[in-house]
Amino acid sequence: MKIHPAYEMLRPDKNFPNVWCPGCGHGIVQGAIIRAVQKLGLDRDEMAMVSGIGCSSRMPVYCDFNSLHTAHGRAIAFATGVKLHNPKLHVIVITGDGDALAIGGNHFIHAARRNVEMTVVLMNNMIYGMTGGQYSPTTPIGKRASTAPYGTAERDFDPCSLAKAAGAVFAARGTVYNAAELEKLITQALAKKGFALVEAVSPCPTLYGRLNREGNAVKMMQWQKENTVNVKAAEKLPPEKVRGKIVTGVFHDAETPGYTEIYDRVIAKARGA
Amino acid sequence: MSKQVALLQGNEACALGAIYAGCDFFGGYPITPSTEVAEEMALMLPRSGGKFIQMEDEIAGIGTVLGAAAAGAKAMTATSGPGFSLMMELLGYGCMAELPCVIVNVQRGGPSTGLPTKGAQADMLQARWGTHGDHQAIALCPSSIEECFTQTVKCFNLAERFRMPVLLMMDEFIGHMREKMTIPQPGELETYTHPRPKIKPAEYRHFGEGTGVGGAYAAMGSGYRFNITGLTHDPKGFPTNRADETKWKMDRLRAKVADHLPELTEVEREFMDDAEIVIFSYGAAARTAQQAVREARAQGVKAGLLRPTVVWPFPDQVVTEALRQARAMVVAELNQGQMILEVERANRTHTRVLPALRYDGEMITPAEVMNVIAEAAR
Ligand SMILES: Cc1ncc(C[n+]2csc(CCOP(=O)(O)OP(=O)(O)O)c2C)c(N)n1
Ligand code: SF4
Ligand SMILES: [Mg+2]
């Protein structure tokens, strides 16, 4: 029997089948993360996967890393404590659009500002999956949700712009349709020494798809395929050609010392070095 | 080394106690009247290679403390009423995930912003019941500057041993009062660090047998890979909603405290041998109560002082016994009557229980307590 290459990084005992619906994008994101970790040859004992609450945030339970499934919105705060206490750990934060940008928005921007070394994989399905399809800070204006039966009246956040403005060293977006690109972006993010965001556009056919009549999982994937533009191409296109499309790729890539590195200097100073 | 005597504020003594106990992580958000604890930690922690971080709010403060604790830190945060309220959800996370840490609440008047610069003891029941769901609480209450130090050490020891958040319920009066104290020498006070597992990682269960009170448990990143979650979980730490596993977890959490009540009962007594009127008091209020008891004795009233230093779990047995022997019990506290509810619950003998309360931000006076003692003696 051939064993799936991701198998060694999973926890087969007790946790499968997972909570995700058939057709949910979150599992594809997990696959991309595992392949990125394998590609970089990172030691599982030195991986800390920290999440909040949501369908997306269930991922750490299935990964055979040091896993910490925290409270709604608080993953980044917990992850900050993990990283500061043990800077040797590679910290991956798994979060959703609601988890990271609504209830956890404050932690998101401040961890980016501090440039705490962590890779944040934000699974953006533009909805609250776990609680049944309420609108989130990334639900596009006018789209339907269980709490927006007439369409939302709110504008949406662009997580990548937000992270960049707040001080992150890396901000990129990929889709689950193009899992190879997503894997590449996560690999790049994991190699950064600072706050790195990868937004993974991940369809929720069960709620977002149904409420907005976007069809089943296959149709939503098809839509991703046909409506994705790479950032390089997008730069050359007139704005109206980009509107409503998913722009993927690296939006921001900088080198700034990470928080734990700077804090080591604080320790040296305090000790009179 | 010669004994070091220092004139310290309660908040400073608390921070020094934390360092003595081996605290190597502090995360918090400034709030009067607790801020000096954070300031002292910001000064001292980097010197010993520890980490201090000022977070964006108190939720992040306790979040980062719990994260550091999961990674093996001896971690602490300090706050006051409004911040304590913000921490409630994650206090429960700490209980559920069994993460050792110390939370200091230098109590001020409330509700809401209340009296930022004035003292109170009005979060006593919040400390016990503030987070949702059935859970246990361990909380200590210092009455002196020296106790701010020694009890902080004790809080860390209990957190490590019982594997849960432990609360130090200070108050503004004690936090900002200055007193002389002799700084304990290294080794003079017990400092406990939980043992780490020695078994093979494959055999390790993060919540399995032998990981409870006094047991060995691992830190994230130590070669033992496990899952931590705030969801109800099985011995491996994997989420469950099975009734049998849920009951197992809830019983485990309860037993941690319920099965160790003698160890967690700590009550100071003064003139209790023949006391007819017992004054029950804790924290700053107990200082006044002590003076009142001494004055009452000088006037020939057989008064005695019962002062729990561990307030949660409530010392039921001790209080029940004291009530059995006393003619009346006076409960002196700086709120509208909180721990008196516990005293009444422990009252199996229908003994008279009288409140001596003050909740205007000022310290209760010996005269005020004396008045209630006089009424009780009537
Ligand atoms: C303090 C708190 N408020 C609300 C909830 C309920 N809740 C759980 S998950 C969730 C939203 C999750 O949405 P998102 O982060 O986008 O993740 P998804 O399920 O879409 O992957 C909410 C509101 C909670 N668990 N805790
Ligand atoms: S509800 Fe949506 S986000 Fe949640 S598992 Fe199902 S498809 Fe995925
Ligand atoms: Mg979502």
Side-chain angles (χ1 to χ4, degrees), chain A:
Chain A
M1 199 180 74
K2 219 176 147 215
I3 290 175
H4 192 280
Y7 186 80
E8 57 156 3
M9 298 264 167
L10 300 179
R11 285 177 171 145
D13 48 338
K14 189 153 166 141
N15 301 304
F16 292 91
N18 59 40
V19 295
W20 298 320
C21 306
C24 176
H26 294 348
I28 301 175
V29 182
Q30 180 177 14
I33 292 173
I34 287 178
R35 286 191 300 279
V37 168
Q38 288 174 326
K39 196 186 280 175
L40 291 169
L42 300 176
D43 181 351
R44 271 180 305 176
D45 281 333
E46 291 184 359
M47 300 296 307
M49 196 178 247
V50 186
S51 70
I53 297 290
C55 297
S56 36
S57 289
R58 274 301 182 106
M59 188 188 295
V61 180
Y62 310 124
C63 293
D64 194 8
F65 300 144
N66 297 287
S67 57
L68 182 60
H69 177 233
T70 73
H72 192 31
R74 314 304 170 198
I76 289 175
F78 278 71
T80 300
V82 170
K83 183 69 189 178
L84 260 62
H85 185 68
N86 187 351
K88 280 206 302 283
L89 291 172
H90 296 276
V91 177
I92 302 183
V93 169
I94 300 298
T95 182
D97 41 309
D99 195 64
L101 303 174
I103 191 163
N106 206 19
H107 313 313
F108 181 83
I109 56 173
H110 286 281
R113 173 179 64 79
R114 295 184 186 107
N115 200 24
V116 184
E117 298 93 330
M118 57 176 78
T119 299
V120 176
V121 179
L122 191 166
M123 278 167 249
N124 186 1
N125 54 11
M126 300 177 284
I127 201 113
Y128 286 1
M130 178 135 275
T131 41
Q134 298 77 29
Y135 65 91
S136 90
T138 60
T139 308
I141 190 164
K143 289 289 181 183
R144 267 195 273 273
S146 71
T147 45
Y150 311 107
T152 67
E154 299 184 15
R155 294 186 301 164
D156 54 318
F157 263 145
D158 169 356
C160 290
S161 304
L162 186 63
K164 182 188 168 188
V169 290
F170 186 82
R173 180 182 299 120
T175 64
V176 298
Y177 171 74
N178 194 343
E181 182 193 32
L182 183 62
E183 178 191 322
K184 220 180 102 199
L185 296 171
I186 294 169
T187 311
Q188 275 177 270
L190 281 170
K192 297 297 294 183
K193 290 201 165 57
F195 187 94
L197 170 73
V198 178
E199 177 191 345
V201 183
S202 172
C204 167
T206 306
L207 297 160
Y208 188 87
R210 186 172 53 77
L211 288 163
N212 288 291
R213 298 193 181 84
E214 293 194 358
N216 59 17
V218 178
K219 282 235 176 71
M220 289 182 85
M221 282 291 228
Q222 190 84 24
W223 188 90
Q224 278 201 352
K225 179 184 175 188
E226 287 158 8
N227 291 279
T228 299
V229 199
N230 186 271
V231 59
K232 299 245 166 61
E235 276 162 10
K236 295 184 191 113
L237 290 169
E240 63 273 16
K241 286 255 162 103
V242 181
R243 202 164 298 135
K245 299 242 157 87
I246 305 170
V247 183
T248 62
V250 178
F251 298 92
H252 176 61
D253 190 356
E255 287 297 331
T256 316
Y259 183 89
T260 63
E261 193 188 324
I262 297 177
Y263 200 90
D264 280 343
R265 292 182 215 156
V266 171
I267 290 177
K269 200 167 177 184
R271 287 177 155 174

